[in-house]
Amino acid sequence: MVMTFDVSPETRAGLIHYFYRQLFVTPPPVLQRDVNLSGKTAIITGANGGIGLEVARQLLDLGCKVILAVRDESKGEIARKDLTNGRDLVSGFIQVWKLDLSSYDSIIAFAERAKRLESLDIAILNAGIYKVTESFSPTGYEEGVQINFLANMLLTILLLPIIKEKRVGSHPGHICVVSSDTAAWTKFEEGNSTPVLAAFKRKAADWNMADRYGATKLLGQLFLTELAKKVSSSVVTLSCANPGFCSGSELGRETHGIVRVIYKIQTYFLSRSSSIGARTLVHAVTTLGEQAHGQYIEDAKIQPMAVIVYKPEGQRLSKQVYEETLDELSFAGVRDIVNEISKAK
C-alpha cells in the first residue's frame, strides 16, 4: 500500500521532531463508544508491567479478553490481580501464559498452546530488551538481536495462521510489533555485510548500546515491510508501532552507574507515561484498520519508518533480511507457513 505521510521520513527522524513529539504530542485514548472488542482475545507479550500492562488494561476497557505473555509467571499473576481489581470478570478473562523469548522451544510451545484457543484476534508483541553491554545468546547472535528481532519474528510468523483461523467476525486479525524512534538513528553498518545477519554474531569493534538497540528495531521494520507483501491485509494485518519513550517501563533495567543517572534524567525531562504510550499500540490494532498493514504507527497515526526503508538500499536490505531470517528460522517451518498463508485472500 502506497502511503502519503504528513511529514517526510527525514524530518520525522530528526531530533527536533522527536523532542516535539515527546513533549507536545499526546495520542488520544481509544474509547468504548468508538471500539467494541467484546468476544475478542488479545495476546500481549511483556505484559507484567510498563507499556504491556497498560495495553492490557486499555484492551480490557474495550471488552477484550487478554493473555499476558510473560517470562516470570509470578509477576504475571501480580499483574493479573492488578488488572482484575475493580472489574467483574468471568474466570479466564485474564490469563497468564509463560513465554521466554530467549528460548525457541518456549516460543514454539506458546504458539502450540495458542492453537487451542477458541478465538485469537490480536497480538501485540511488546517484549524486548535494551542491552547496555555486548553479550551473545546460545544461538550465537548478539542478545538484543536474538530477542528483539529473531524471537519476535518467529512468534509473528507462528501466530499468523492461528489468528487467520481463530479471528472473530469479518475483520482481519492484527499482529503489531513494538518498534522505536531509534530505528531511524542507527548507523546500521552491518547492512554493508553479506550476509547481514551473520554480522550480528561477531563482536563489534566499537559496540554502542543505543546504536545496537536501534539496529534491532530497524531489522524488524525491514522484515515486516517484506512480510506484509506476502500476507494479505484482509487475512492478517501486520504493523509495527512506536509508543515513544515512556516512564514506568523496564527498558532501562540493565542500566547502572553513570548510564543509569543519564537514563533517569532523560526519563524525568522527556518521557511520557506508559499509559499514554500504550494508546498508540491500541490504536494500531483497533482504529486504523487494514490501512495499517505494513506500516509504522506513531502517536496514533501512520508515520514514516526509518529513512533507509524508502531508499533503494533499504528495499534491497528488506528482501535480504527477509530471506536470511526465513532461512535462520527454517527449523520451525516458517517458509511453509508464509507460503501457505500468502495463498489466502
Side-chain angles (χ1 to χ4, degrees):
M1 181 183 297
V2 178
M3 293 297 301
T4 301
F5 306 111
D6 59 8
V7 63
S8 71
E10 291 79 8
T11 298
R12 196 211 67 83
L15 283 178
I16 292 176
H17 203 273
Y18 166 73
F19 290 139
Y20 170 74
R21 294 194 304 272
Q22 283 291 133
L23 297 174
F24 301 110
V25 179
T26 302
V30 179
L31 303 176
Q32 285 183 324
R33 66 169 183 255
D34 301 316
V35 174
N36 183 355
L37 298 182
S38 297
K40 296 183 182 293
T41 303
I43 287 171
I44 307 106
T45 70
N48 61 283
I51 296 167
L53 179 63
E54 294 305 321
V55 167
R57 196 185 312 279
Q58 292 174 28
L59 291 178
L60 281 168
D61 289 343
L62 299 173
C64 191
K65 297 179 182 178
V66 297
I67 295 170
L68 312 180
V70 297
R71 184 173 56 178
D72 186 330
E73 290 175 284
S74 62
K75 291 183 178 179
E77 283 299 325
I78 294 172
R80 186 186 65 79
K81 291 178 182 178
D82 177 19
L83 293 170
T84 303
N85 188 36
R87 301 177 190 272
D88 183 17
L89 302 174
V90 299
S91 176
F93 207 86
I94 305 173
Q95 299 180 34
V96 177
W97 288 17
K98 171 79 171 180
L99 175 63
D100 183 354
L101 289 179
S102 67
S103 165
Y104 283 145
D105 288 342
S106 178
I107 296 169
I108 292 170
F110 182 90
E112 286 297 316
R113 185 178 182 183
K115 291 179 180 179
R116 300 194 292 272
L117 288 168
E118 290 185 7
S119 66
L120 182 59
D121 307 88
I122 295 167
I124 297 180
L125 308 191
N126 163 72
I129 58 173
Y130 185 99
K131 299 296 297 180
V132 298
T133 56
E134 187 178 29
S135 61
F136 293 85
S137 69
T139 63
Y141 285 99
E142 192 272 332
E143 196 172 0
V145 172
Q146 180 64 42
I147 301 296
N148 296 349
F149 176 61
L150 288 170
N152 274 295
M153 295 311 102
L154 174 60
L155 183 56
T156 295
I157 295 173
L158 293 180
L159 290 177
L160 280 171
I162 304 173
I163 291 179
K164 170 184 173 291
E165 294 299 326
K166 294 182 178 291
R167 70 186 185 189
V168 173
S170 59
H171 296 295
H174 197 129
I175 300 175
C176 178
V177 181
V178 172
S179 192
S180 168
D181 295 282
T182 59
W185 304 338
T186 177
K187 296 177 182 177
F188 202 62
E189 294 176 349
E190 296 82 5
N192 298 320
S193 303
T194 304
V196 174
L197 293 184
F200 294 102
K201 286 188 170 184
R202 301 190 291 267
K203 287 187 67 66
D206 186 23
W207 191 84
N208 177 280
M209 59 184 179
D211 189 76
R212 180 49 55 90
Y213 181 75
T216 70
K217 297 300 184 177
L218 178 58
L219 283 168
Q221 291 186 8
L222 292 169
F223 182 85
L224 286 171
T225 296
E226 199 63 24
L227 180 62
K229 297 176 183 177
K230 318 294 182 184
V231 180
S232 170
S233 63
S234 63
V235 176
V236 179
T237 303
L238 296 166
S239 69
C240 56
N242 171 28
F245 180 43
C246 298
S247 61
S249 76
E250 295 186 0
L251 188 64
R253 59 184 175 269
E254 291 193 12
T255 58
H256 53 82
I258 187 63
V259 175
R260 183 74 169 177
V261 173
I262 294 171
Y263 181 82
K264 287 192 172 185
I265 291 172
Q266 289 177 330
T267 300
Y268 180 80
F269 286 104
L270 279 177
S271 68
R272 54 178 55 157
S273 68
S274 289
S275 62
I276 296 297
R279 291 177 179 180
T280 286
L281 308 186
V282 176
H283 270 284
V285 299
T286 60
T287 67
L288 297 178
E290 293 181 39
Q291 66 175 336
H293 190 59
Q295 302 297 330
Y296 172 84
I297 318 302
E298 188 171 71
D299 293 329
K301 59 183 180 180
I302 296 172
Q303 292 288 276
M305 293 186 187
V307 175
I308 192 174
V309 174
Y310 304 100
K311 295 181 177 295
E313 175 67 3
Q315 294 166 18
R316 179 191 67 80
L317 281 170
S318 290
K319 293 181 174 64
Q320 187 172 341
V321 167
Y322 175 81
E323 293 297 336
E324 289 182 22
T325 302
L326 291 190
D327 287 343
E328 181 66 28
L329 303 176
S330 60
F331 62 87
V334 292
R335 197 177 291 276
D336 289 340
I337 292 173
V338 174
N339 287 342
E340 186 62 29
I341 205 165
S342 66
K343 300 173 185 176
K345 300 297 181 184

